[in-house]
Amino acid sequence: MNVTYSWLKEFVDFDATPEELAELLTMLGLEVESMEKLGGGLDDVVVALVEEKLQHPNADKLSLCRVNNGKEVLDVVCGAQNFKQGDTVALAQIGAVLPGDFKIKRSKIRGEESCGMLCSEKELGLAEESAGIMVLPPAIAPLGTPVFAALGLKDTIFEIGLTPNRSDCLSAIGIARDIAAKLGLKMKYPPVTLVESSERADSVIGVTVENTELCPRYAARYISGCTIAPSPEWLVKRLNAIGIRSINNVVDVTNLIMMESGQPLHAFDCLRLSGKRIVVRTAEEGELFTTLDNQLRTLTSADLVICDGERPVALAGIMGGLNSEIENTTTSILLESAFFKPAAIRKTAKRLGLHTESSHRFERGIDIDNVTRALDRAASLIVELAGGIMAQGCIDIYPGKSDRAAITFRPEKANELIGINLERDVIIDILTRLECRVSQCTDGSVAVVPPHYRIDIEREIDLIEEIARLNGYDKIPATMPIAHVVSDRPTRHQEIEKRVRDLLVNNGMTEIINFSFTAPEAAGKLLLDDDDPRRTAIKLANPLVDEQSVMRTTLLPGLLETTARNMNFRSLDLKLFEIRRVYLPGEGDSMPREPLCIVGAVTGSRDGDGWSRPNEPVDFYDAKGIVETVLDFLDIGGVSWATENPESYYHPGKSCRVYAGRDCIGSVGELHPTVQKNFEIEKPVFCFELDFDKLVRLSRTKKTITAPSRFPDSTRDSALLIPEELAAVKIIECIKGEKSKEIEHVQIFDVYRGKGVPEGYKSIAVRIRYRSFERTLAEEEIAALHKRIISNLMDKLQVTVR
């Protein structure tokens, strides 16, 4: 927000210098990001009188002038022809530095000495172009007076950085109000004088608001018989000072009032409005509209538009239309002032890539009570500058008018939170200076009704912030914080998480981090059943994009998308994992559950390319081995692998669930071909999932250490013929079921299918190691125990010894 020092002084009669005012504004939370002094450093450009103008003796297009600066008469050579003897001009004296770092020096031009330069508006930075030098009004100021001071242009421009909640300060009056409240001075609001005709406005123009939710208030005035012309000099200078280009007297007034009061306005050429009426509605889907910048826009049903009797004539709160703009021939004006819902303007402006001074204010929220005040001020100025007749009354559609609710405020609470001790009367005085309505309550609290323009004040804490701000942040005493010393020792859960993460990295895996947001169709890509709870995702209230509009219920989609992305970059040998939370809806109104999960994926070559090792692809057992490594590391016992009821996103027959006792703690398997296709992955991928919270609960941090037996061991190998459907783990469980202390270890070390093995069967080789902790086992004991084990296998599992 740009505002000048002199403009602020029109509303508040303060004595602060520009530097002091900049400090005051910054301490009020209105940070002054930069200060620019108009005419600063140009005091050597003074008012001077041309006493004599002669032809240069050595050049046809140059003049030799005698110029009086009030102290002496100087010789100056000039090339401009738009002035004459006796004119008052702007003289840049020797030593002056003009914009562009152009320094004036004594010089000789075509043999004649020149002791200065007669300046144009362009050379002084007052205009982009100029036809000749600046000719000043006669007797504008005493000779020798700095030109910028004589023209009333010596000023300071403040560029103020505002936080989004302070939309009330997107105006000169808003900033002045804060200055007045801080200094305890009275605000001087600009006077409004309305001279209306007997003809009523509603008899000439009509306004219909079809969508009062997006447009809670719409007001309009009608002015006829006006003349479009350039704006007066004072208006042009004011707008130029704050960076706004002058267009014409009517448009300039709307821009001035917007920057003065914070209320955007728009002027329509009423004769170009079909039926001389306004209809506020949402656009038709795909409706086309050409804005003032001559760009054709395609609208959606969410866009709010201002229409006449036939077509759109403005994008509400953003930009007017080319079909209704003010032209040099305009004589009748419909002047609009309205309040639009901030969210609606923000969405339309963002979608169309249109950011204007008007949309900037509507997006943040304006004062709905200021709609008609700003309209009346603009209408009176237009009549003053452009002539014309103002119709009687204004059309004001405001169906949902309501007063602001009072906020219960406790002065003692303010002192407690801020850390100060202000008297109750001082606090109430601050609130009154902020133009709040304050009334005492019987319980000792205060009922405070904030002004409508302070839309950011909603709660008691907001009022407390205002007390601290107006009293002065620098007056809050510096104190040492009081805090409890809390041990930052990680919890058991955090410690195990760190150790498991390190374990996976040490096993050659790479950790990835994905967004917690995902696409709604992610569950469908995994082929999850319709009744699977992971299909019910928590929706975001205001997502940035549709692809990240719900909270993830599983880590797999993000993992597979990362895998596919890396494969597209020809990174084909991947071992990826992620340890993050998923978000599952709670029952009823309860908060969502956020369990921590582990997922991993391996694909490509097992060991990579190399002359000394075979280039073998990873398979199911690589993923299973990683899971076994984690479970062994956490010392989780009773682990079993079940192929029943596999997850829908795994390949049938190439996956299993992982159990610890009766608890399902995860799954591992090859990705289903359809899921692989859904994620555009060309090569087989083997994945695993683990419920980390269950792993922590089942893990054993204290391990039992047993000294090895000092007696020798003995092993026996047996080849068994078993049905294909019999799981190898059943063999191991049956052997260990003997519960003999002499059985130290059981291992399946070979599987064979082929010649000599009937179809539907497989041959497995089992190695059993026997050892006693008490004595050396005799051959007869080992043979008897082994025979009993084999017999038990044959009876219980119907296996055959080869």
Side-chain angles (χ1 to χ4, degrees), residues 278-336:
I278 288 293
V279 179
V280 184
R281 62 170 174 83
T282 51
E284 301 290 338
E285 193 68 35
E287 192 169 8
L288 299 177
F289 175 63
T290 302
T291 46
L292 278 172
D293 55 0
N294 203 21
Q295 296 294 314
L296 184 64
R297 314 281 180 178
T298 302
L299 307 181
T300 70
S301 57
D303 300 329
L304 190 67
V305 290
I306 311 299
C307 304
D308 60 11
E310 298 176 354
R311 67 205 189 285
V313 292
L315 267 177
I318 301 175
M319 186 178 285
L322 203 61
N323 55 7
S324 62
E325 68 173 328
I326 300 297
E327 297 178 327
N328 292 335
T329 57
T330 299
T331 57
S332 299
I333 296 171
L334 187 150
L335 190 60
E336 166 197 278

Side-chain angles (χ1 to χ4, degrees), residues 167 170-172 257-264 361 366-367 370:
S167 60
L170 286 168
S171 65
I257 301 307
M258 175 178 66
M259 302 305 291
E260 178 185 85
S261 68
Q263 172 65 52
R361 285 158 177 77
I366 62 170
D367 178 12
N370 190 42

Side-chain angles (χ1 to χ4, degrees), residues 155-287:
D155 207 343
T156 301
I157 302 174
F158 300 102
E159 183 181 353
I160 300 176
L162 299 173
T163 52
N165 64 313
R166 290 305 307 272
S167 60
D168 61 299
C169 287
L170 286 168
S171 65
I173 287 178
I175 297 170
R177 270 193 296 240
D178 258 21
I179 297 171
K182 173 66 177 178
L183 300 178
L185 301 174
K186 189 175 180 180
M187 271 290 294
K188 296 182 290 185
Y189 290 98
V192 177
T193 303
L194 295 176
V195 179
E196 300 177 325
S197 67
S198 58
E199 183 180 37
R200 293 188 55 81
D202 54 12
S203 68
V204 184
I205 58 174
V207 176
T208 303
V209 179
E210 293 183 0
N211 193 324
T212 55
E213 180 185 355
L214 301 186
C215 178
R217 188 174 191 182
Y218 191 97
R221 275 192 175 273
Y222 175 71
I223 303 170
S224 61
C226 56
T227 302
I228 306 302
S231 296
E233 187 178 358
W234 69 266
L235 179 52
V236 174
K237 288 179 181 178
R238 173 144 294 172
L239 292 178
N240 286 343
I242 57 176
I244 296 179
R245 178 175 60 90
S246 174
I247 298 174
N248 58 53
N249 49 4
V250 172
V251 175
D252 288 357
V253 166
T254 62
N255 287 332
L256 174 73
I257 301 307
M258 175 178 66
M259 302 305 291
E260 178 185 85
S261 68
Q263 172 65 52
L265 303 164
H266 189 71
F268 297 97
D269 186 333
C270 197
L271 295 180
R272 300 176 70 184
L273 297 178
S274 176
K276 289 188 177 181
R277 59 191 298 261
I278 288 293
V279 179
V280 184
R281 62 170 174 83
T282 51
E284 301 290 338
E285 193 68 35
E287 192 169 8

Side-chain angles (χ1 to χ4, degrees), residues 417-420 468-469 471-479:
L417 284 178
I418 301 172
I420 56 179
R469 193 172 66 88
N471 185 60
Y473 293 126
D474 54 335
K475 293 182 180 178
I476 299 175
T479 57

Side-chain angles (χ1 to χ4, degrees), residues 746-767:
V746 182
Q747 177 186 3
I748 295 177
F749 64 91
D750 189 28
V751 180
Y752 172 73
R753 298 177 182 85
K755 187 177 180 180
V757 177
E759 187 176 351
Y761 286 82
K762 58 188 173 185
S763 174
I764 66 169
V766 181
R767 178 171 294 157

Side-chain angles (χ1 to χ4, degrees), residues 6 13 103 130 234 246 282 300 324 335 399 524 579 613 629 658 767 770 774:
S6 60
D13 189 15
K103 188 173 183 179
S130 52
W234 69 266
S246 174
T282 51
T300 70
S324 62
L335 190 60
I579 304 180
R613 54 183 181 268
T629 301
V658 188
R767 178 171 294 157
Y770 300 98
E774 300 169 353

